[in-house]
Amino acid sequence: MPKKQRFGMVSKGEAERAYHAWVAAYLGDDSERLWAFTGKNGAQRTTKDQLAANVATAPGSILHIASGLIRYEEGRVRAEPGNRVAGTISPQVAADRKKDIKDFLAFLNHRHGDGAVGRLRLADLTLLDVEAYNQYLVAKRFSVNTVGHKMQVVKRIVDRAGRQEYGEQELSWNWDSVDRSPGRAPKQKQLPTLEQLKKLHNKADARGRAMIWMGIGLGFGQGDLAAIRVDDIDEQGYDLRRSKTGIDRYGATPPGVWRAIKVYLDENPRPRGSALFVTRNGKPLVHTRSDSVLQWWNRLRTSIGETKETLDGFYILRHLGATEFGSREGCSISDMKRWLGHSASSSMADVYMRPVSPEHREIIEAVRKRLTGNGEDPQFP
C-alpha cells in the first residue's frame, strides 16, 4: 500500500503513481534487470526501489489493474488460525495468486518487451496473447489444476479492467472464444510400501512418528498439524475444525495414533492451549510459504534412500490412511466426509471406499493392525 514512509508526504495521486511504479519493479520486470553495471567497481546490485524510479506506469495499464487486484486480494487475507469467513482467503492463497499475477505480467513483458505491462491497456491484449500464455503453461508441464488457476487470474484481470478507476475498459473480442489447452493429467498416487513405511517409522524421532501416524490415522496434512492444539486431542477422541473448509472434523483417536502422540508429549511436554507441534525455533509449522513439515519430510525421505520419484510427499500418508479408512466395513460417505474434512463426492467414494487391491493389501493390513491395536506392534515398535 502507498505509505508516507516510502513515498513521503505527497498527494494521493502522486503516491498512487509512485506505488504502481514500485510494483512494476517487483512484478513486471525480469530479474535480470535488477543488475546494472556502473562505476569502476564493475557489477553493482541495483535495488528494486531504484529500478522503480525509471519505470513508467500509465493509468489503466495492465500493470495498474494487476497491482490493484493484488491489493484487493491482500485485503481479504484472514488471520490464521481461525474459522473460515465468507469472502476471506488464507495467506497461502493470497501468496499463490500474487505469484500467478507476477507470472502473467512477466510473460507479457517477455512477449512485448521490457516494461510493456506498464503501457499496455486491455484493448492491446489480444486473443493470441492469452492463447500463447495458455500454451506456455502447458509446455511448462503444469498440472490441469495449476493451468486452470493461472488462467483464472488472467480472466480476473480482464474483468477488473471494467472498473471505473481503470477507465471501464472492455475486451474487443469474446473471452469464451479462447482455445484452451489443459495441463498434464495428475499422476496416480502410489502408496508407500510396507518396507518404506517401516524405514520412515524407525528413522523418525518421537515427534516425527507422531506426525506420521496422525497423517495416516487421522488424515492430517501439514496445515492440520500446524493448527491442532494440545487440547484438541486426547486418548478418547479429537475435534478439529478445518479453517480451510469450515467442516467439523471429529472422531475417536485410534490407539496407535494416541500411543505415538503420548510418547512425543512425554519427551516434549507442551502446555495446555498451545500448538501441539512447533518448529525447533518455536514457530508455527506452516505459515504463508514456509512449510517445515515439507522440509522435515524431504530430509527423512532422503535419509532412508528414497527420492520424490520413489516416494511421494507427506500428503501420501493421508491417501494411505483414507484407503484404509474407506475400506472398513460399514464406512459411509458421511464418515468419509468427516474423516477427510471436506465434502466427499461419488468420485471420492470411487477412490477410497472400495475393497483393497491385492498390491496394497499387505500395507493396509499392517497399518490397520497398528492403528487399532492397544499393545506394541512388532512391525512398528
Side-chain angles (χ1 to χ4, degrees):
M1 298 291 289
K3 294 181 179 179
K4 65 180 181 181
Q5 288 85 349
R6 180 177 297 277
F7 301 114
M9 296 299 293
V10 298
S11 69
K12 180 179 178 181
E14 291 174 312
E16 287 285 346
R17 286 191 292 274
Y19 172 75
H20 294 308
W22 177 76
V23 171
Y26 275 83
L27 304 179
D29 294 280
D30 295 332
S31 58
E32 289 80 3
R33 292 196 61 200
L34 297 179
W35 289 94
F37 291 88
T38 59
K40 298 181 180 180
N41 296 327
Q44 299 289 326
R45 183 71 173 183
T46 301
T47 67
K48 292 181 178 181
D49 288 338
Q50 292 170 336
L51 181 62
N54 300 318
V55 177
T57 306
S61 66
I62 292 177
L63 177 58
H64 185 192
I65 301 166
S67 61
L69 178 58
I70 290 175
R71 281 188 288 169
Y72 169 71
E73 295 290 9
E74 290 177 340
R76 298 199 299 137
V77 174
R78 62 177 173 265
E80 290 193 333
N83 291 337
R84 179 180 181 179
V85 178
T88 62
I89 58 177
S90 69
Q92 179 64 57
V93 171
D96 290 341
R97 290 181 182 172
K98 183 176 180 179
K99 174 65 166 56
D100 292 341
I101 294 171
K102 174 183 175 181
D103 289 346
F104 178 60
L105 297 180
F107 173 82
L108 290 181
N109 272 340
H110 178 75
R111 185 174 173 86
H112 295 284
D114 287 346
V117 293
R119 60 179 182 271
L120 292 176
R121 291 174 64 85
L122 187 64
D124 301 315
L125 184 67
T126 67
L127 178 67
L128 293 179
D129 287 332
V130 176
E131 291 180 343
Y133 183 58
N134 186 185
Q135 293 298 326
Y136 165 77
L137 297 175
V138 173
K140 295 284 286 185
R141 298 289 297 161
F142 287 125
S143 68
V144 172
N145 289 338
T146 300
V147 171
H149 290 158
K150 288 182 176 293
M151 293 302 294
Q152 286 174 10
V153 163
V154 178
K155 183 60 165 60
R156 293 196 66 190
I157 293 175
V158 169
D159 292 341
R160 193 171 182 82
R163 293 176 61 86
Q164 186 175 10
E165 61 263 37
Y166 306 123
E168 299 179 340
Q169 303 177 58
E170 295 181 357
L171 277 179
S172 59
W173 45 273
N174 186 357
W175 175 269
D176 293 333
S177 65
V178 175
D179 288 336
R180 295 174 177 83
S181 299
R184 62 172 176 81
K187 66 176 183 179
Q188 184 177 2
K189 296 293 184 181
Q190 181 60 47
L191 297 182
T193 65
L194 179 57
E195 187 62 29
Q196 288 173 328
L197 186 57
K198 286 181 179 180
K199 289 180 179 179
L200 292 169
H201 173 90
N202 293 333
K203 193 71 175 180
D205 57 10
R207 174 176 175 268
R209 290 182 181 181
M211 291 195 293
I212 286 173
W213 288 106
M214 289 176 74
I216 298 173
L218 305 179
F220 280 14
Q222 289 100 305
D224 299 315
L225 293 176
I228 192 167
R229 311 188 81 76
V230 175
D231 300 329
D232 293 335
I233 188 168
D234 58 22
E235 186 175 6
Q236 301 302 315
Y238 67 97
D239 194 342
L240 177 68
R241 176 177 288 273
R242 283 169 60 88
S243 59
K244 178 180 177 181
T245 60
I247 293 178
D248 287 324
R249 286 182 94 181
Y250 59 89
T253 305
V257 173
W258 178 248
R259 189 159 67 247
I261 295 174
K262 184 68 166 56
V263 172
Y264 159 68
L265 289 176
D266 287 344
E267 294 184 9
N268 306 272
R270 301 287 300 154
R272 294 182 64 85
S274 65
L276 183 61
F277 300 106
V278 293
T279 67
R280 306 300 183 189
N281 298 325
K283 303 295 184 181
L285 288 182
V286 180
H287 56 279
T288 315
R289 288 191 173 275
S290 176
D291 188 339
S292 62
V293 179
L294 174 64
Q295 298 167 7
W296 160 77
W297 178 263
N298 288 340
R299 292 193 299 269
L300 181 63
R301 180 171 58 189
T302 300
S303 70
I304 64 170
E306 302 290 347
T307 66
K308 62 181 180 180
E309 284 75 29
T310 60
L311 182 61
D312 276 330
F314 179 80
Y315 220 65
I316 195 62
L317 300 182
R318 175 174 160 90
H319 288 278
L320 173 59
T323 302
E324 188 278 322
F325 185 85
S327 65
R328 295 180 186 179
E329 185 177 356
C331 180
S332 66
I333 286 283
S334 60
D335 293 333
M336 202 76 233
K337 174 181 176 179
R338 175 187 52 76
W339 194 91
L340 291 170
H342 59 69
S343 56
S345 60
S346 58
S347 61
M348 190 66 67
D350 290 339
V351 173
Y352 297 127
M353 298 174 62
R354 57 184 179 181
V356 178
S357 57
E359 66 268 24
H360 296 147
R361 194 167 294 149
E362 181 184 36
I363 187 169
I364 294 301
E365 291 176 353
V367 164
R368 182 169 295 160
K369 182 178 179 181
R370 166 72 184 195
L371 293 175
T372 59
N374 291 307
E376 285 295 329
D377 185 346
Q379 295 193 87
F380 303 102

